[in-house]
Amino acid sequence: MNINTLCIHGSEDKSHCTGSVSVPIYQTATYVHPAVGQSTGYDYSRVQNPTREQLEITLAKLENGVDAMAFSSGMAAVTAMMELFKIGDHIIASDDLYGGTHRLFCSISEKNGISFDFVNTSEASKIAEHIRPETKAIFIETPTNPLMKVSDIAAISAIAKQHGLFLIVDNTFLTPYFQNPIDLGADIVVHSGTKYLAGHNDTLAGFLVTRTAEISEKLRYIYKTTGACLAPFDSWLVMRGIKTLAVRMEKQQENAIRLANWLCQHPKVRSVYYVGLPTHPDFEVSLKQSRGFGAMISFKVDSEQTAIQLLQRVKLVLYAESLGGVESLITYPMLQTHADIPKEEREAKGIDETLLRLSVGLEHIDDIIADLEQALA
């Protein structure tokens, strides 16, 4: 089934005879047992809920995985995933990560006895240099947040398999519409469902999608035990969002390509980070492993004063955290998404006072450009 069709029809609940086109919201915490030792298949909503189950079936289909688990947020999903590891384990991770993931790894996971090496995973050859006997996994974002580096998933998968490591890929920016990491060798795919999957800035959600039943069984046990499952109403909201994922991603990408090219010509813009530009150093890798480039752009302006002026003057583009919704959002990573990373470390990565991150929405592109033009004047 074509992915455009799957987005619309992947969540149809045919187990009931009401004829409802929309999957019902099963707003219940518990379920009646038919008799002693018997179950309807649902016992307690922390373990499974029919609404959430349909969403998980859809995500597994979209990512070509065997299973998907829906969590209360993207960070809840990553936190549960980290329970696969134990004291003494070592993980290699992309050195340009979403600030919340970096914070979790450095303030929670390290406290729990797990160590990390942060590596530029867009250079796959550097990964092997950091593998040691206690290494258990490679965790990558591609494209990364906020500098839009692209990692070669298939090449890294070959390294992971050679050394018996899990490969975990955060696919939030491109979504399964543009990229399928499991097809390229990933073992676990992570999503912040809050972003493009839900698509309307109205709910939080997170997902883990697995390549094998063995990994799924381990994560389902952790999921049931730790309990950060997605509520029925939020599951319904994400399902509703996914129905328009294909058309949203196509239009937002179209806007992003035009906006990235406009930014490249602006006299106050010094650098533009967008994987859809042929000048991007990882452009060829993107062409090889993805069906599109997405709608996330980061750019540097000529001064801190210009950055602050832009944030204070925008009217249509909203100065807010998050991304992936129908509204265009602009973020100041050094103060928002990456504020908890030490200043020297952050600036060494290029996340400084002049860097802005833009999630391009569905407004008319001429209006987006006009707003940024007046804000940069």
Side-chain angles (χ1 to χ4, degrees), residues 120 122-123 142 144 147-152 275 277-289 293:
N120 180 4
S122 62
E123 298 181 34
T142 183
T144 60
L147 295 175
M148 310 302 161
K149 296 178 183 177
V150 176
S151 297
D152 188 327
V275 297
L277 291 172
T279 53
H280 190 285
D282 305 317
F283 182 72
E284 294 299 325
V285 177
S286 291
L287 289 179
K288 180 179 73 171
Q289 70 185 17
F293 307 110

Side-chain angles (χ1 to χ4, degrees), residues 13-145:
D13 181 5
K14 297 183 173 68
S15 62
H16 298 277
C17 58
T18 63
S20 174
V21 172
S22 176
V23 174
I25 301 170
Y26 291 89
Q27 193 63 51
T28 183
T30 192
Y31 308 82
V32 174
H33 294 285
V36 176
Q38 296 182 22
S39 170
T40 61
Y42 305 98
D43 301 316
Y44 192 59
S45 276
R46 172 161 45 80
V47 179
Q48 191 52 284
N49 172 281
T51 313
R52 189 169 76 241
E53 182 178 46
Q54 290 303 311
L55 171 60
E56 293 174 342
I57 289 169
T58 301
L59 252 293
K61 289 178 180 177
L62 289 172
E63 281 289 14
N64 299 323
V66 302
D67 192 18
M69 283 142 273
F71 293 81
S72 57
S73 70
M75 288 313 304
V78 178
T79 300
M81 182 205 71
M82 290 306 296
E83 293 300 322
L84 291 171
F85 307 104
K86 64 182 187 306
I87 294 173
D89 285 350
H90 170 252
I91 294 173
I92 298 167
S94 298
D95 63 355
D96 181 37
L97 287 177
Y98 165 56
T101 305
H102 187 279
R103 181 173 62 241
L104 174 73
F105 289 173
C106 293
S107 64
I108 304 296
S109 301
E110 284 190 348
K111 171 184 68 67
N112 293 338
I114 300 168
S115 62
F116 296 85
D117 274 321
F118 294 97
V119 178
N120 180 4
T121 54
S122 62
E123 298 181 34
S125 59
K126 289 189 174 182
I127 294 173
E129 299 172 9
H130 295 270
I131 295 174
R132 50 198 204 220
E134 60 270 28
T135 304
K136 302 300 180 185
I138 302 168
F139 182 102
I140 65 174
E141 284 181 8
T142 183
T144 60
N145 183 0

Side-chain angles (χ1 to χ4, degrees), residues 49-276:
N49 172 281
T51 313
R52 189 169 76 241
E53 182 178 46
Q54 290 303 311
L55 171 60
E56 293 174 342
I57 289 169
T58 301
L59 252 293
K61 289 178 180 177
L62 289 172
E63 281 289 14
N64 299 323
V66 302
D67 192 18
M69 283 142 273
F71 293 81
S72 57
S73 70
M75 288 313 304
V78 178
T79 300
M81 182 205 71
M82 290 306 296
E83 293 300 322
L84 291 171
F85 307 104
K86 64 182 187 306
I87 294 173
D89 285 350
H90 170 252
I91 294 173
I92 298 167
S94 298
D95 63 355
D96 181 37
L97 287 177
Y98 165 56
T101 305
H102 187 279
R103 181 173 62 241
L104 174 73
F105 289 173
C106 293
S107 64
I108 304 296
S109 301
E110 284 190 348
K111 171 184 68 67
N112 293 338
I114 300 168
S115 62
F116 296 85
D117 274 321
F118 294 97
V119 178
N120 180 4
T121 54
S122 62
E123 298 181 34
S125 59
K126 289 189 174 182
I127 294 173
E129 299 172 9
H130 295 270
I131 295 174
R132 50 198 204 220
E134 60 270 28
T135 304
K136 302 300 180 185
I138 302 168
F139 182 102
I140 65 174
E141 284 181 8
T142 183
T144 60
N145 183 0
L147 295 175
M148 310 302 161
K149 296 178 183 177
V150 176
S151 297
D152 188 327
I153 299 171
I156 296 172
S157 171
I159 295 169
K161 285 177 170 55
Q162 180 184 354
H163 295 274
L165 311 178
F166 283 128
L167 174 58
I168 304 155
V169 180
D170 187 325
N171 196 30
T172 297
F173 276 12
L174 291 186
T175 81
Y177 182 72
F178 282 140
Q179 180 171 267
N180 295 114
I182 287 175
D183 291 351
L184 298 165
D187 297 293
I188 300 171
V189 176
V190 177
H191 284 282
S192 173
T194 309
K195 313 304 193 294
Y196 289 105
L197 294 177
H200 293 78
N201 289 318
D202 56 9
T203 189
L204 300 179
F207 295 93
L208 298 177
V209 187
T210 58
R211 182 178 61 85
T212 68
E214 181 183 7
I215 299 171
S216 174
E217 184 178 357
K218 292 177 181 178
L219 285 170
R220 282 278 173 195
Y221 182 81
I222 293 166
Y223 186 50
K224 172 180 72 174
T225 304
T226 56
C229 56
L230 191 62
F233 182 61
D234 299 286
S235 297
W236 183 86
L237 284 172
V238 179
M239 271 191 287
R240 184 182 64 169
I242 288 174
K243 287 180 183 293
T244 61
L245 177 65
V247 291
R248 286 188 287 106
M249 294 303 292
E250 289 286 357
K251 183 59 180 177
Q252 285 173 275
Q253 174 178 253
E254 179 186 322
N255 280 353
I257 290 170
R258 281 195 57 188
L259 185 57
N261 281 287
W262 178 82
L263 287 167
C264 285
Q265 303 303 315
H266 198 283
K268 289 188 178 181
V269 175
R270 294 291 176 258
S271 305
V272 179
Y273 306 89
Y274 178 61
V275 297

